[in-house]
């Protein structure tokens, strides 16, 4: 299963911290941060990967055959646009 999360679209925020946990005890998962062209990185079975101090706009995760991944993030809200002519 592949899941792509685009933080500005889904949460009106960017992730400044992110953790990907692979709950599959047998199969590796793969992930890609902020890009649709970089090679997917491997996440071994029963492992996790953390990112901090970054501006993460998107993450793509592909789980192993029988596995699940948990994606946790710390969000920073995007500023609301100013409306001209408002008080």
């Amino acid at each position: 299963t592949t899941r792509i999360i685009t933080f500005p679209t889904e949460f009106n925020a960017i992730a400044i911290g992110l953790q990907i946990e692979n709950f599959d005890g047998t199969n590796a998962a793969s992930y890609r941060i902020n890009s649709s062209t970089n090679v997917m990185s491997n996440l071994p079975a029963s492992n996790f990967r953390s990112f901090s101090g970054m501006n993460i706009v998107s993450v793509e995760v592909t789980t192993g055959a029988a596995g699940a991944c948990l994606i946790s993030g710390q969000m920073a809200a995007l500023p609301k646009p100013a409306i001209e002519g408002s008080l």
Side-chain angles (χ1 to χ4, degrees):
T1 304
T2 298
R3 173 77 162 96
I4 300 171
I5 298 172
T6 307
F7 295 102
T9 302
E10 295 186 40
F11 302 102
N12 195 36
I14 57 170
I16 56 175
L18 187 72
Q19 181 167 306
I20 306 168
E21 297 180 67
N22 184 2
F23 290 143
D24 192 325
T26 306
N27 301 300
S30 54
Y31 66 90
R32 181 177 6 227
I33 303 290
N34 284 345
S35 177
S36 60
T37 59
N38 286 344
V39 176
M40 299 282 278
S41 298
N42 186 55
L43 182 60
S46 300
N47 243 298
F48 72 93
R49 177 73 166 99
S50 296
F51 305 90
S52 63
M54 296 176 65
N55 290 329
I56 301 170
V57 174
S58 65
V59 61
E60 177 180 352
V61 176
T62 301
T63 61
C69 285
L70 175 66
I71 303 167
S72 305
Q74 180 181 2
M75 306 298 150
L78 296 174
K80 292 183 179 180
I83 301 173
E84 291 186 32
S86 65
L87 298 175

